[in-house]
Amino acid sequence: MSPAFGAMEVEHYSKGVLLEPFVHQVGGHSCVLRFNDKTICKPLIQREHQFYETLPTEMRKFTPQYEGVVSVSFEEDEDGNLCLIAYPLNGDHDNLENLDNSDCEPKSKLLRWTNKKTVLLENEKLSKEWVRQHRKEEKMKSHKLEEEFEWLKKSEVLYYTVEKKGNVSSQFKHHNPWSMKCHQQQLQRMKENAKHRNQYKFILLENLTSRYEVPCVLDLKMGTRQHGDDASEEKKANQIRKCQQSTSAVIGVRVCGMQVYQAGTGQLMFMNKYHGRKLSVQGFKEALYQFFHNGKYLRRELFESVIKKLTELKSVLEKQESYRFYSSSLLIIYDGKERQEVAVDSDPEDLEDLSEESSDESAGAYAYKPTASTVDVRMIDFAHTTCKYYGEDSVVHEGQDTGYVFGLQNLIDIIKEIRDESSE
């Protein structure tokens, strides 16, 4: 757990924390929000909540750290701007002592995320004509939002130029299309249900990107089957079709989303799930190559760490009896921040932090000499996970999740191929 914090910060949280869009979400349909720099939150799904509270010890290093549950309400500020505010659950204030909340945005610092809420107080001061016009404008705005979502579906691979000046990571919030899409849809769902419900439970999870200055994130949908045991016949057929028409059926893994910083051009590249579904096995391999390439050279120093962690995860999952991780994803994350190039014949002190092996394919007077970079490999999204220990499940599986393990082995093999081919 995070370090304890003081009484003033507990009181600060009890008054409400403004939730912001999580700008590094590259896949999935569930909205992920930023609670603070080190913590994110997402709508609580009972099955996923149960998984985090009961997961085996040996799997914990491969999943985000679970940090509890909060109550989230749908509110508006004095200007009518829509906001999502997190509060501690009733009677749960004692648990706040273990949560580092020092960098949360207070409720008083409300941000304007969307257009104003459509709440019309039809009293004597509002003419019927004004009301009709206002509704017309709101309908047009809603239609425009739907058009933007359709555009996002069609624009499956996007490039955005990042300003050279200023903090690169801070500019993600202006560009990540998938994060914006999920956030807008979440607000729309809660807005539509506002009359009937205004309190939602969200789970708090570790922000896996917090340690990186410019996170490069690959979201992979794992396994040969995606539908849960409780899926309707329509949902089951739809998921089977998606697997059959993608690399999921062939190699047990497909691209669900990606964001990569291209140091060579100063651009952010985003690839969404619609593009990932269309990839052939060769296309999947090329997408992986692109993920590990920064526009200047292939980040070969990352391969051994990724392969080692994937192999360890595979060994852990092979020992898990009865678990099925249907529709879950695997994240691979590394820092796209490029170290400053230093002349090879520079003072030794300038080179002391650089590794021995050059990975600059053009070499020349300057050579990039990477350090052993940190790569993270984590499983996420357990809304359809099942296990024999979940007593209420009607279907009980035996043995390991062969579809997931099959996908992991193929992923390892493909990364090894890229590594070996790049060193020839």
Side-chain angles (χ1 to χ4, degrees):
M1 281 292 183
S2 301
F5 60 99
M8 290 182 64
E9 288 164 334
V10 173
E11 183 180 356
H12 158 79
Y13 176 32
S14 66
K15 293 180 179 178
V17 171
L18 175 67
L19 300 178
E20 301 177 357
F22 178 60
V23 298
H24 300 300
Q25 180 180 3
V26 299
H29 61 271
S30 181
C31 178
V32 180
L33 298 168
R34 175 192 178 276
F35 183 82
N36 61 30
D37 283 347
K38 297 181 180 179
T39 309
I40 61 169
C41 63
K42 59 184 293 191
L44 185 149
I45 297 173
Q46 193 58 46
R47 185 173 294 274
E48 181 171 45
H49 186 221
Q50 184 175 10
F51 170 81
Y52 278 114
E53 290 200 318
T54 61
L55 85 165
T57 303
E58 58 270 26
M59 285 188 63
R60 289 178 184 171
K61 65 183 294 184
F62 294 107
T63 60
Q65 181 173 311
Y66 168 69
E67 298 183 2
V69 180
V70 291
S71 176
V72 174
S73 66
F74 180 71
E75 302 180 13
E76 61 176 320
D77 64 8
E78 63 273 12
D79 296 323
N81 298 302
L82 301 178
C83 304
L84 296 179
I85 310 297
Y87 299 93
L89 290 177
N90 293 334
D92 198 35
H93 289 71
D94 293 340
N95 293 333
L96 299 181
E97 295 180 0
N98 292 320
L99 187 63
D100 183 354
N101 192 51
S102 57
D103 59 349
C104 292
E105 292 290 356
K107 177 183 174 183
S108 59
K109 187 180 179 182
L110 296 179
L111 302 180
R112 300 183 178 184
W113 290 355
T114 66
N115 294 320
K116 292 185 178 181
K117 186 179 178 182
T118 310
V119 177
L120 299 177
L121 303 175
E122 300 186 43
N123 54 31
E124 301 161 333
K125 296 181 181 179
L126 298 177
S127 67
K128 291 183 179 180
E129 182 180 352
W130 186 92
V131 171
R132 283 196 298 270
Q133 181 62 26
H134 190 84
R135 283 174 173 164
K136 182 178 180 181
E137 291 175 356
E138 290 297 325
K139 188 175 182 179
M140 290 176 64
K141 290 175 183 176
S142 177
H143 182 66
K144 183 178 180 182
L145 188 59
E146 291 176 3
E147 289 180 341
E148 289 177 353
F149 290 166
E150 289 303 314
W151 175 81
L152 284 171
K153 289 182 180 180
K154 295 175 182 177
S155 304
E156 296 168 353
V157 180
L158 300 173
Y159 289 85
Y160 290 100
T161 299
V162 178
E163 297 294 333
K164 297 293 185 180
K165 298 179 181 179
N167 190 324
V168 174
S169 59
S170 67
Q171 297 181 50
F172 274 83
K173 68 181 65 177
H174 304 298
H175 297 308
N176 188 328
W178 197 259
S179 172
M180 179 189 75
K181 174 183 184 295
C182 293
H183 176 251
Q184 294 282 3
Q185 288 182 331
Q186 181 69 34
L187 281 176
Q188 187 64 32
R189 284 193 295 268
M190 295 178 77
K191 176 180 177 180
E192 291 170 354
N193 295 327
K195 291 183 179 180
H196 310 288
R197 179 184 181 190
N198 193 38
Q199 292 290 324
Y200 296 81
K201 288 183 179 180
F202 278 51
I203 58 173
L204 296 172
L205 299 170
E206 172 190 5
N207 175 8
L208 301 174
T209 68
S210 63
R211 73 189 71 178
Y212 304 108
E213 186 169 346
V214 185
C216 294
V217 183
L218 178 63
D219 186 325
L220 299 170
K221 186 72 72 173
M222 300 300 298
T224 53
R225 168 181 161 177
Q226 301 302 323
H227 63 277
D229 292 323
D230 57 348
S232 64
E233 288 302 315
E234 181 181 3
K235 179 74 171 179
K236 178 180 177 180
N238 186 42
Q239 293 292 353
I240 291 174
R241 176 181 55 80
K242 288 178 183 178
C243 287
Q244 291 176 339
Q245 295 177 353
S246 69
T247 55
S248 292
V250 183
I251 58 174
V253 55
R254 71 173 184 256
V255 173
C256 192
M258 182 196 303
Q259 85 177 14
V260 184
Y261 179 58
Q262 302 286 282
T265 58
Q267 290 181 316
L268 296 172
M269 188 279 282
F270 298 98
M271 180 185 294
N272 68 25
K273 67 179 183 181
Y274 304 109
H275 185 76
R277 289 178 191 165
K278 297 177 181 178
L279 296 174
S280 63
V281 173
Q282 180 60 30
F284 176 83
K285 181 177 177 179
E286 291 170 358
L288 275 184
Y289 181 94
Q290 190 173 20
F291 176 67
F292 290 111
H293 201 288
N294 70 358
K296 287 184 176 182
Y297 44 79
L298 194 63
R299 296 287 298 273
R300 288 194 291 262
E301 79 278 9
L302 302 172
F303 289 143
E304 294 309 318
S305 178
V306 172
I307 292 170
K308 179 180 179 181
K309 291 184 178 181
L310 289 174
T311 302
E312 185 180 351
L313 172 59
K314 176 173 171 286
S315 177
V316 168
L317 294 187
E318 286 173 336
K319 300 172 184 176
Q320 300 309 311
E321 176 68 22
S322 180
Y323 273 100
R324 294 295 181 274
F325 304 100
Y326 299 135
S327 199
S328 70
S329 285
L330 185 70
L331 294 184
I332 300 177
I333 311 170
Y334 70 89
D335 202 332
K337 179 63 174 178
E338 184 180 14
R339 291 185 65 87
Q340 185 176 359
E341 290 181 331
V342 182
V344 174
D345 57 357
S346 295
D347 188 290
E349 292 185 1
D350 295 330
L351 297 171
E352 62 182 2
D353 293 329
L354 300 178
S355 68
E356 294 292 327
E357 180 179 303
S358 171
S359 88
D360 186 351
E361 293 157 347
S362 62
Y366 287 80
Y368 174 77
K369 298 190 175 182
T371 58
S373 300
T374 301
V375 183
D376 211 351
V377 172
R378 304 287 188 106
M379 300 173 68
I380 61 167
D381 296 341
F382 303 101
H384 301 287
T385 292
T386 182
C387 177
K388 65 181 180 181
Y389 305 115
Y390 300 175
E392 71 278 9
D393 287 356
S394 57
V395 179
V396 176
H397 301 272
E398 298 295 333
Q400 63 182 247
D401 188 338
T402 55
Y404 198 114
V405 172
F406 174 68
L408 272 179
Q409 184 59 60
N410 285 317
L411 178 60
I412 292 168
D413 291 342
I414 292 173
I415 293 176
K416 285 182 177 179
E417 286 179 13
I418 296 173
R419 177 200 62 188
D420 296 342
E421 290 169 3
S422 67
S423 61
E424 293 177 355

